[in-house]
Amino acid sequence: MMEFIKNKKIDVRKYTMIISLIGIWILFSFLDKSGTFLSSRNLSNLFRQMATTAILAVGMLMILVDKHIDLSMGSLVGLTGGISAMLMYNFGMPWWASIIITLFVGAMLGAWTGNWVNKGVPAFIASLGGLLAYRGIILGISGGITVPVSDPIFRMIGTAYLPKLLGLILGIFSASYIVYTSLKKRNDRITYGFKVKAMYKEILILIVYVAIILAFVLTMNSYRGIPIPIVLVLSLGVIFKFITEKTQFGRQVYAIGGNYEAAKLSGINVKNRTLWIFIISGLLSAMAGILFTARLGSATPDAGNSFELDAVASCVIGGTSLLGGEGFVFGAILGALVMASIDNGMSIMNTESFWQYIVKGLILVVAVYIDISSKKKK
């Protein structure tokens, strides 16, 4: 079942996306005569801006892989962000208690949606109901006014930076770990008689990975250090990469999306898995809500509007199939970076906002077309 993850064709799509991202950056750096786009300050802001969408995309990935959709994510970001701010500002709760309660609320609302899906309500309708209901709840409990964040520690979640020395140590550790695991995996494959890449190709790929990691760390350190939101996104990426690729739960989610009937007949508890992916989706939406509120320093009733669409677009651009069964965690995160880069680059160029919607819409349609076309060829 996991063979498709190692499939050469999928790898080509992943590399194509990275090349596309580099192409977008080169294009904007060429069009931006002021040199702002590739400045360390702007790149730091770009990574902080993409964090919320990236966290939502990780949750949406598992939903799409299972052939569902969660349209309530954006409203849940607004609701949970508002709850966390009100618990601190209106009720005087400490920041940690506010976070725990907010995450619990997010998980329970995810379970609420998943429960309706298991009862036969299409996920599109169940989550659309959530989209409307959660927006109404936050308008009702906040009175339609902005709630400020009163706790400075809570704000640090969205605005602080990792100390530069610690960031450099983490970068070197990450690069060393990638080199070690890649070479170990190669040796294991040779031991068991599997085909491996030529050694020069392996070394070339590793050099590219190490160069990207060190360039990222040095660029961030040339400003204020690695933003905490990005540390959170990368940590979640590693955790969910492990969950989706190495655990029985992850394999079963892919199996359900790949062939529902076969998965059911093989004894997989489909309803249980469906419930859990919606709980995870709700939990990650609450995390995104906390991060978004912490970054802005306040919670507004309209926060999170259309975020679910950005999450879907990030997943599809990142290689997740709307037909189910295929998708990669870091692909979804890269997709979020592509979306944020387009937003950021067009904003720097003072492009009219309607053009941003048009461009992102066209990219989404092309990405879906490529996905469907590649499926038909298979």
Side-chain angles (χ1 to χ4, degrees), residues 1-2 31 104 166 183 221 224 229 233 266 289 314:
M1 190 275 297
M2 295 297 290
L31 296 175
F104 178 76
L166 181 57
L183 294 179
N221 277 359
R224 292 184 178 175
V233 168
S266 66
S314 300

Side-chain angles (χ1 to χ4, degrees), residues 43-57:
L43 290 178
S44 178
N45 289 332
L46 170 62
F47 283 116
R48 283 201 303 157
Q49 288 168 9
M50 59 85 73
T52 304
T53 305
I55 293 174
L56 292 177

Side-chain angles (χ1 to χ4, degrees), residues 105-336:
V105 170
M108 289 301 98
L109 292 178
W112 166 264
T113 306
N115 191 48
W116 282 114
V117 174
N118 277 338
K119 288 180 181 297
V121 178
F124 179 85
I125 299 300
S127 60
L128 182 61
L131 181 152
L132 297 171
Y134 303 155
R135 189 63 64 191
I137 292 172
I138 186 59
L139 281 170
I141 62 177
S142 69
I145 61 172
T146 299
V147 183
V149 172
S150 54
D151 193 307
I153 298 177
F154 185 89
R155 285 214 62 187
M156 287 177 65
I157 298 171
T159 58
Y161 297 85
L162 214 58
K164 293 181 179 180
L165 179 60
L166 181 57
L168 186 61
I169 292 171
L170 278 179
I172 293 172
F173 173 79
S174 302
S176 304
Y177 181 76
I178 288 175
V179 171
Y180 169 75
T181 53
S182 298
L183 294 179
K184 183 177 182 302
K185 185 177 177 182
R186 176 187 171 82
N187 289 335
D188 290 343
R189 289 180 66 83
I190 292 173
T191 302
Y192 291 104
F194 290 105
K195 286 185 178 179
V196 294
K197 297 186 188 80
M199 193 61 188
Y200 78 91
K201 289 183 180 177
E202 196 81 58
I203 292 173
L204 190 62
I205 291 171
L206 288 175
I207 288 174
V208 171
Y209 282 151
V210 171
I212 290 174
I213 291 171
L214 294 182
F216 168 74
V217 173
L218 294 175
T219 303
M220 294 298 104
N221 277 359
S222 67
Y223 182 53
R224 292 184 178 175
I226 301 174
I228 293 296
I230 286 302
V231 177
L232 180 61
V233 168
L234 294 176
S235 302
L236 287 173
V238 172
I239 292 169
F240 278 91
K241 184 177 189 299
F242 177 80
I243 291 174
T244 54
E245 296 183 10
K246 302 295 182 184
T247 67
Q248 185 186 54
F249 172 79
R251 295 189 187 99
Q252 290 181 347
V253 169
Y254 279 91
I256 294 168
N259 192 323
Y260 179 87
E261 292 300 328
K264 197 172 181 181
L265 290 173
S266 66
I268 295 175
N269 189 335
V270 175
K271 288 191 174 182
N272 177 275
R273 296 297 176 255
T274 300
L275 181 64
W276 272 105
I277 61 170
F278 276 97
I279 290 174
I280 291 170
S281 172
L283 187 64
L284 291 178
S285 297
M287 283 187 189
I290 291 169
L291 193 63
F292 190 68
T293 304
R295 183 165 69 84
L296 296 184
S298 62
T300 57
D302 61 346
N305 266 342
S306 303
F307 278 17
E308 63 280 348
L309 302 181
D310 282 342
V312 172
S314 300
C315 290
V316 174
I317 292 170
T320 304
S321 174
L322 290 178
L323 302 176
E326 290 184 13
F328 310 91
V329 171
F330 279 101
I333 293 174
L334 272 176

